[in-house]
Amino acid sequence: MDDYLGLFVKETNLYNQIVLGGLLPEKLWTPLPHFVQGWLRNYIAATLIYFISGVLWCSYIYHIKRNVFVPKDAIPSRKAMLLQIYVAMKAMPWYCALPTISEYMVENGRTRCFSRISDVGWASYIWNFGLYFLIVEFGIYWMHRELHDIKPLYKYLHATHHIYNKQNTLSPFAGLAFHPIDGILQALPHVIALFIVPTHFTTHIVLLFLEAIWTANIHDCIHGKIWPVMGAGYHTIHHTTYRHNYGHYTVWMDSMFGTLRDPLEEEEAKNI
């Protein structure tokens, strides 16, 4: 068992070497405890992903494709985007505690993670990934919905994010502009799933960091029109009505629990 758990430690050490070793002198990070190394690597990686995805996407939709995807009067101001960056950066150190703690639990055998797909086979991997995804979808939907329905949670946590409630205040940088506890709560289903479903460790890490890219995408106000993806068209409605489209990656949970509003139907209604 200890030998197998060592595979997880070996993997996180590799990630540390790639990120920290590629950006920092070894004397600055190698003396740090393994847990602290993991947090520092997660912090640097998450920050880079946030800025690279945000800058590239904003440059494309607001400058290269200016007035194609977003009307000129709907482009968020520089002040609004800088505020979103400020809020996200204040929360980022706390966000990174979640994957660091999940890695610690995996390395100590407290979850149902496995290291190699060959340990379970592709059929089992695909089946368990589907279950993992379903738990994440269900968990994030209800966590997000309760952050609206429970008034103290909304007032003291989620309202920080909902000051961005119009097209000209929403931008890809708003994707991580949350109160830190709010952001952690909404990502928590990713970790809870590790105790329920056998999960490939690398897949779990990748999905956690894809959150940064996905949340940037759903705050750009551009409707991708790809069913059943819960894209920016749906999420923009959420920011304007506050009572619909709580889902994360797909529309399934909103459809199941009666909170779905379709942006295409909204457009048709406006044109009648």
Side-chain angles (χ1 to χ4, degrees):
M1 183 62 178
D2 288 342
D3 289 342
Y4 192 79
L5 293 178
L7 295 176
F8 298 119
V9 177
K10 184 177 180 181
E11 189 169 337
T12 53
N13 281 335
L14 175 61
Y15 299 152
N16 292 344
Q17 186 63 49
I18 291 171
V19 177
L20 301 179
L23 297 172
L24 300 174
E26 286 199 0
K27 64 181 180 180
L28 292 181
W29 64 273
T30 50
L32 299 173
H34 180 71
F35 183 87
V36 179
Q37 287 182 19
W39 175 86
L40 182 60
R41 177 247 302 160
N42 289 329
Y43 177 72
I44 292 173
T47 302
L48 287 174
I49 290 170
Y50 175 73
F51 278 106
I52 291 171
S53 61
V55 168
L56 289 177
W57 197 231
C58 286
S59 298
Y60 182 73
I61 62 176
Y62 299 145
H63 297 286
I64 297 174
K65 291 292 185 179
R66 188 179 180 91
N67 301 332
V68 174
F69 293 122
V70 181
K72 184 177 180 179
D73 60 354
I75 295 176
S77 67
R78 182 175 298 179
K79 180 180 179 181
M81 288 190 280
L82 287 175
L83 176 60
Q84 291 159 13
I85 292 170
Y86 171 73
V87 173
M89 286 298 98
K90 277 204 311 180
M92 189 67 79
W94 301 99
Y95 293 160
C96 294
L98 185 64
T100 307
I101 291 170
S102 75
E103 288 172 21
Y104 174 83
M105 291 188 294
V106 170
E107 291 170 350
N108 286 274
R110 297 179 183 177
T111 70
R112 301 189 68 187
C113 274
F114 55 90
S115 177
R116 300 163 299 202
I117 296 176
S118 60
D119 293 336
V120 299
W122 278 99
S124 179
Y125 168 78
I126 293 169
W127 169 256
N128 286 315
F129 175 79
L131 292 177
Y132 176 98
F133 187 82
L134 184 63
I135 290 169
V136 168
E137 282 288 277
F138 180 86
I140 292 179
Y141 171 87
W142 280 106
M143 189 69 76
H144 190 184
R145 184 166 174 173
E146 294 309 305
L147 281 162
H148 279 267
D149 290 347
I150 300 174
K151 300 307 179 186
L153 291 182
Y154 182 82
K155 180 178 179 180
Y156 296 108
L157 299 180
H158 200 51
T160 299
H161 182 65
H162 270 277
I163 63 173
Y164 318 112
N165 57 4
K166 297 177 182 177
Q167 190 175 27
N168 62 0
T169 61
L170 285 166
S171 84
F173 289 115
L176 293 180
F178 291 91
H179 186 287
I181 296 176
D182 182 0
I184 290 171
L185 286 174
Q186 293 200 60
L188 193 58
H190 280 281
V191 177
I192 293 172
L194 301 182
F195 296 92
I196 302 172
V197 179
T199 304
H200 183 229
F201 180 51
T202 304
T203 300
H204 164 69
I205 296 298
V206 169
L207 287 174
L208 266 182
F209 280 89
L210 279 177
E211 292 283 330
I213 298 173
W214 179 250
T215 55
N217 177 266
I218 63 173
H219 288 87
D220 63 14
C221 300
I222 301 170
H223 184 39
K225 302 178 183 179
I226 303 174
W227 188 91
V229 175
M230 176 68 75
Y234 290 97
H235 200 71
T236 303
I237 290 174
H238 171 75
H239 272 264
T240 54
T241 71
Y242 295 63
R243 308 304 302 171
H244 302 90
N245 302 350
Y246 299 103
H248 192 53
Y249 289 116
T250 74
V251 302
W252 294 332
M253 294 300 157
D254 282 284
S255 180
M256 187 182 303
F257 296 110
T259 53
L260 184 67
R261 277 182 67 169
D262 191 323
L264 295 179
E265 293 178 1
E266 298 277 306
E267 289 179 14
E268 290 175 3
K270 289 178 182 179
N271 294 329
I272 293 176

